[in-house]
Each structure stands twice: as C-alpha cells, then as structure tokens.
Amino acid sequence: MTRINPTDLSFLLLERSNRPFHMAAFIIFQKPKGQHSTFGPRLFDAYRQSRPVKPFNYKLTWLGKNVAAWETVEPDMCYHLRHIAIPGPGSMQQFYETVSFLNTGLLDRGHPLWECYIIDGIENGRLAVMLKVHHALLDGESGLRVLRNFLSDSPRDKTLAAPWTAVAGADKPRRPPSRASQIQRVQAMLKGLAKLPGDLLGVGGDVLDLGVQSLNLKPRKAAVPFTARRTLFNNTAKSGARAYANMELPLADVKAVAKATGTSVNDVVMTAIDDALHHYLREHRAATDRPLVAFMPMSLRAESGEAGGNQVSAELIPMGQPDVDLRERLRQINRATSDAKAKGRGMQTTTRQAYVLLLAGCLAASDTLPWFDKVPSANVVISNMKGPSGQLYLAGAPAVAFHGLPILPPGAGLNVTFASVNTDICLAIGAAPEAVHEPYRLAQLIEAAFQQLQTDTGTTAHGSPSPVPAGVAGT
C-alpha cells in the first residue's frame, strides 16, 4: 500500500455531493478517412483489453479515521469504460450537454477513482475521449502529461493507446538501486528531517507576514485571506450541477501582446479574464469597488517528475482596479504575479505545500463556517498550465480540440483554467450556476477584452484570426 499525502487526502475529505473533486478533460479527434463507422468500436475494444498502470490501478483504502492509503488492484475495465453515441445530428451543443451530464456524478470509491467515455457521433466525423479522474490521484499538470503521453507526434503511428497505459515512467522496469544510491537516499532523508523545523518556522513566518501586511505595516506581496469583497462569483454550488464554456485564443497573438508589454502569457490572459469579470458584474448590476482576488495554484513539479499525486503551491493574487484601462490593468496584474513568484522562490518546498493547505483552508472557511461567507479570501480560481505543443494524433486521428472541465474547490463558485495546447491557449470556464449562469457570455467578454488589448498595444496586425468561443454546456 501507498500512504496518501495530506494534500491528496484533503481532496477526499472535503468532497461532497455538491462539491465533487474530480477533474475532467476531453480531446476531440477527426476520425481517419474510411473509418467513420469503425474507429470508435475499435478504440473501445482496445481500451477494454488494456491494462492500467499506476496511479490508475490505485484503489482507496481507509486505514482509520481520516487516514487512507492506495491499494494496487486490477481495475474492472467493463466498469471504467463506456462507449456513447450522440444521436443525430451530433451537434456541438448536444456534445457539451452530454459532457456536462457525465461530469456531474461523484466517482465510486469502491473502484479506482477514474472513468473514461468514448463519445462518438459528433458532427463532421469526429469522436471525443473524455477522462474523468479524482484530484487525489492526479493534479492538473500531471493530468496534462498523461493526456499528452498517450498521443503520437506521427499520423503514421496506428497504436490505439490509452491514457492509463502511458503514464510517464510508471511502466518502465527499474534496476535495483546500488548500495551507493541507497546511502545517498538515506543521506537525503536525514537532510530533509534536519530542514523540517526550519520549514515549520517558515510557515509560521509566512502567517506572521500576513498579519503584518493586514495591519499595513509593510507592502503587500499578496492578498490577505478574508479581505476580498464578496461578489456574485462567491455564490457556491447548492448541488452537483455545473455550467461550462470553452474558448481558444491564438497563442501567437497572446505572445505578441506579452512581448510588446514586457509581461508574460499568463499576465495577458489573466488581464482579459479580469476585465471580463468586471464587465459581467456590471451587466448583472453587481459591480464591486475593489480589485477581484484570484486563488492561483502554481506548479512545483519538476519536468522529470512522476505523474501521480499533487505537487503545487498557491497564492492569493489581487488583480486590477475595477475601472482602469486594459494596459494599466495588465501592469497591475504583472506586478502582483511578479511579487507572488518572488515570494514563492523565497519559501522551502515543504513550506509552500503547507502554505497552500493554509490558503485552501481559508478559502473553504466561507463555505463551511457561519459568518465567513461574508468575508471571502478570493473571488475566482484561476489556473494556468502548459500543455502539449505540436499536432498530435491517436492511431492516425488528428486531435482537433482539447478542453478541461474545471472543478470548484470549497468556497469558490467560479474556476477559469487555461492551458497552452499546440497553437492555442485553450480556456475553460467551470461555474456553479448560482455564480455564473451564462458562462458563454463570460467567454464572449474574455474574447472582447483580449481583442481590445491587442488594439491598445498595437499588436492586432501581427495576430491570427479573432478568437472564437468554442462552446457552452450546462446542467
């Protein structure tokens, strides 16, 4: 058995019927010529006969109250896999409605915590592979890596690969460690133990630092918990229903704006999101007089890290003032994210991991404790991940779209997640209907904000065609 670390365990302990903690994403493929009726069944048969590797063969086992471990089992592929055909005409609206419905229910803890759906019958000869996996098994970065690793760079590769058989490094044989390497591992463990008191002091120091900032005794490097202005986006879900929308921004266009302004791709996309959120509030006569605060996870994973578990930190990022123009909004967000990165670099990894639990607890307080809903710590969750670059294929079928269905953590009614995939920034909106009933409208406002930012920075002529929202779904 493998003991579950505290971060992963928290996703299991905090899960409720109205607050599922699984991630979901889908890739849409253009079926190869001459295989419109056979590609889906062939893929389904191959997946049913496949054999999952870790962490997809991990089943939850409780060892005691609030103590759990992963037990290695042989998954029942008849349970984990489904082949669904959307009835004609197979429109994208029908597809998004299907995806939203499939993503509503909780994963069964009597099985390894994942499901896969092959969704056939999409218009224009397309098919989707949707993967639904618990956040305790994978974080966002490792989830993207899993989805990348089962795809091929070559259209000539006809392998019907599955995500659960392609976890990086998981199924490769390993040579027994030498005596020297065992000694080095023991030495590293001893060094880690020696650092532990300092790391705990570091957490205390960060808590003290938050207190000093809240008294305005020193400049703020981040927002302080329980000081965000409550907005419409803080309305949390009363059920498992979610509303979704997806869109793409051309990556070259976003990079052009970032280069022209001396900022980052992350800053540019955050600026468009922030501006759109304020417009959405004004349209619903719910404007705020303070900057919105984003709870932003940040990856700690090394490039060669394994796929399982969660290796992330997080920060509360104060975004732009409500009424500033887009260029000034971008400057303010760039300053806030730069300060957050500087703060993160000054913390030990153990400290950062404890710090994210502290911030997550502050976020959850407004969802679980009386009165705290009036003083939220953040208004929106924003995540940024690096996805695969280049055109990818599955058994000769080119991938034509990739999107996630963001989860809502405790205390949050809105999550906007974006990732670079091939030549686009793929942006996904997940919301409680009580917070954002019209996610498609929010996607339109993000598109409009980015186009205006291109105009303001003089980069329109260098870009690609205008971004177009990809779709919307709701339950």
Side-chain angles (χ1 to χ4, degrees), residues 179-394:
R179 179 175 176 80
S181 66
Q182 289 176 335
I183 293 173
Q184 291 173 350
R185 185 173 301 175
V186 171
Q187 290 173 337
M189 290 174 62
L190 291 174
K191 287 180 181 179
L193 289 173
K195 289 181 180 179
L196 185 57
D199 285 342
L200 292 176
L201 288 174
V203 175
D206 286 313
V207 174
L208 177 61
D209 186 58
L210 287 174
V212 172
Q213 291 180 39
S214 67
L215 295 173
N216 294 319
L217 298 180
K218 65 182 290 187
R220 290 186 178 180
K221 288 187 177 180
V224 176
F226 309 119
T227 59
R229 178 77 81 192
R230 180 174 175 79
T231 70
L232 181 65
F233 306 133
N234 293 104
N235 293 339
T236 54
K238 293 182 175 62
S239 71
R242 299 292 183 266
Y244 301 105
N246 300 289
M247 63 175 295
E248 291 92 24
L249 297 172
L251 180 57
D253 289 6
V254 178
K255 286 183 174 180
V257 174
K259 182 178 180 180
T261 56
T263 60
S264 69
V265 167
N266 178 71
D267 295 334
V268 172
V269 179
M270 280 188 69
T271 298
I273 294 170
D274 187 33
D275 188 74
L277 293 176
H278 281 290
H279 274 87
Y280 189 91
L281 289 175
R282 286 194 288 270
E283 288 184 355
H284 289 76
R285 299 181 181 180
T288 180
D289 59 350
R290 291 187 192 174
L292 297 172
V293 177
F295 178 85
M296 175 168 280
M298 293 179 286
S299 175
L300 303 177
R301 188 177 300 281
E303 287 295 323
S304 58
E306 291 187 357
N310 290 270
Q311 298 182 33
V312 295
S313 184
E315 191 54 270
L316 298 176
I317 306 291
M319 298 198 283
Q321 293 289 337
D323 297 320
V324 295
D325 62 43
L326 277 164
R327 288 191 67 115
E328 177 58 26
R329 187 178 301 280
L330 177 57
R331 281 191 288 269
Q332 292 179 4
I333 288 175
N334 171 254
R335 188 160 54 245
T337 58
S338 298
D339 287 345
K341 291 173 185 176
K343 177 181 176 181
R345 284 191 291 267
M347 299 169 69
Q348 295 282 350
T349 298
T350 307
T351 307
R352 284 181 287 185
Q353 291 174 333
Y355 184 64
V356 68
L357 291 176
L358 171 67
L359 293 182
C362 293
L363 196 69
S366 61
D367 199 21
T368 56
L369 299 175
W371 187 80
F372 277 95
D373 64 328
K374 299 179 177 62
V375 285
S377 295
N379 305 108
V380 57
V381 177
I382 298 180
S383 299
N384 174 22
M385 295 171 287
K386 184 178 181 180
S389 60
Q391 179 62 60
L392 298 174
Y393 303 85
L394 174 60

Side-chain angles (χ1 to χ4, degrees), residues 3-63:
R3 185 70 65 91
I4 301 177
N5 69 53
T7 302
D8 298 344
L9 183 61
S10 67
F11 290 117
L12 295 165
L13 297 176
L14 291 171
E15 188 169 51
R16 302 288 185 273
S17 60
N18 67 325
R19 192 196 302 131
F21 266 99
H22 59 257
M23 303 179 297
F26 61 83
I27 304 178
I28 298 179
F29 299 93
Q30 184 69 49
K31 288 187 279 189
K33 291 182 179 179
Q35 299 184 43
H36 282 204
S37 62
T38 61
F39 187 76
R42 287 179 55 241
L43 186 65
F44 178 69
D45 289 342
Y47 279 12
R48 275 282 174 92
Q49 297 172 26
S50 63
R51 190 170 184 179
V53 297
K54 68 177 185 181
F56 291 93
N57 58 356
Y58 284 175
K59 178 178 172 291
L60 179 66
T61 299
W62 291 102
L63 304 178

